[in-house]
Amino acid sequence: MSNRRKAVLIGLVSGALLGAAFAWVATDSDPDDDESGEIRGVAKLGPTDYFSLGMSILTLARQFGDMLR
């Protein structure tokens, strides 16, 4: 397997794991814990927060790619 394919495979697996972990945290809420009815945690994030998070992840990937050159 070529180095490029290995890198893509590692990126694919790590991205899937990170996405699954984020989804688990985002949906991990116990209705009995929140008696006030207030929205907390990741559920409070709006579209601009997700956009900022995506841009930060892309910046991190670009910086990582620059380090490997």
Side-chain angles (χ1 to χ4, degrees):
M1 187 181 298
S2 70
N3 286 339
R4 182 177 176 93
R5 286 188 186 202
K6 285 180 187 177
V8 169
L9 183 62
I10 290 171
L12 181 72
V13 170
S14 61
L17 291 174
L18 182 65
F22 187 73
W24 178 62
V25 168
T27 60
D28 188 31
S29 62
D30 189 7
D32 296 335
D33 289 346
D34 192 18
E35 297 169 358
S36 66
E38 170 183 331
I39 298 174
R40 301 182 314 172
V42 178
K44 202 178 214 181
L45 297 177
T48 56
D49 296 321
Y50 287 112
F51 181 74
S52 296
L53 180 62
M55 292 303 293
S56 299
I57 290 171
L58 289 175
T59 302
L60 179 64
R62 186 184 66 190
Q63 289 175 348
F64 185 69
D66 288 342
M67 282 185 352
L68 294 177
R69 289 185 191 164

